[in-house]
Amino acid sequence: MYAERASRLGGAVVWTNSPGGPDDPGPGRVLPDGCMDLLWNDGRLLVAGPDTRAHTVEGATGGWAGVRFRPGAAPAFLGVPAHELRDRRVALDDLWPTPLVRGLTARVNAARDPAHGLEEVVLERAAESERPDPLLRRVVAALEAGRPVSATADELGVGARQLHRRSLAAFGYGPKTLARVLRLQRALTLARAGVPYAETAARTGYADQAHLARDVRELAGLPLGELLGGR
């Protein structure tokens, strides 16, 4: 069963997932959302990079816990450009010194629950990390609102090349891909709430329902109706 709550770290989410119950549908499908996560699974610490396509979780044992950073925030925390982790899941000790990660892992494993321990580690380390580029929040806000990339660059006073370069480091891909991912999430939110597909497409900036369907299949790996459980 999946559950999430707001983290004490601004903009982040703490989540847990306990597979294997009688209602467990099987391997999970993680859709692109512009975010990166610090993960705990079966006593190990991992990092989920930014996705450009659906990631299917298979073969992992035990429960999961995670802290999902808002788009653009994790690279400053990790000290690694996001594009180096694009579409990857890596052990934290591939990024940080092994003795440090060993100590952090022991703390999480000893906590009253992994999610709480993971959040405590993130809060402590975030206080010692560089702050994310303040421009990033404005980029995300503009693209989430459906603003065109060119207009966003003009409004922020940055050139297209500079925006692309900073987006690669912060989000793992250029602003056009980020805009596409965020549009998908807006559309799925409406569709899951029961808004008809054609209206969903119109309200979220797709040319038509067919355009929405193509984007869902390309980014999520399933037809829209199947992704939403047969709606």
Side-chain angles (χ1 to χ4, degrees), residues 97-202:
T98 298
L100 171 62
V101 175
R102 187 180 297 123
L104 296 177
T105 303
R107 286 179 53 189
V108 175
N109 289 338
R112 68 172 186 260
D113 66 78
H116 176 79
L118 199 62
E119 184 181 27
E120 289 296 319
V121 163
V122 167
L123 287 168
E124 179 182 293
R125 298 291 301 177
E128 303 170 358
S129 303
E130 293 185 8
R131 299 300 181 192
D133 183 346
L135 179 78
L136 303 177
R137 285 197 184 193
R138 298 172 63 193
V139 171
V140 173
L143 297 181
E144 280 186 331
R147 298 289 292 157
V149 171
S150 58
T152 297
D154 290 343
E155 290 167 4
L156 297 180
V158 297
R161 290 185 179 180
Q162 183 185 12
L163 179 59
H164 186 82
R165 182 174 65 253
R166 291 167 79 168
S167 294
L168 283 178
F171 310 120
Y173 28 64
K176 289 185 178 180
T177 298
L178 177 63
R180 190 180 179 210
V181 165
L182 295 176
R183 181 176 61 182
L184 170 73
Q185 290 294 331
R186 294 198 306 274
L188 292 178
T189 296
L190 290 178
R192 286 171 177 145
V195 176
Y197 295 160
E199 182 181 347
T200 291

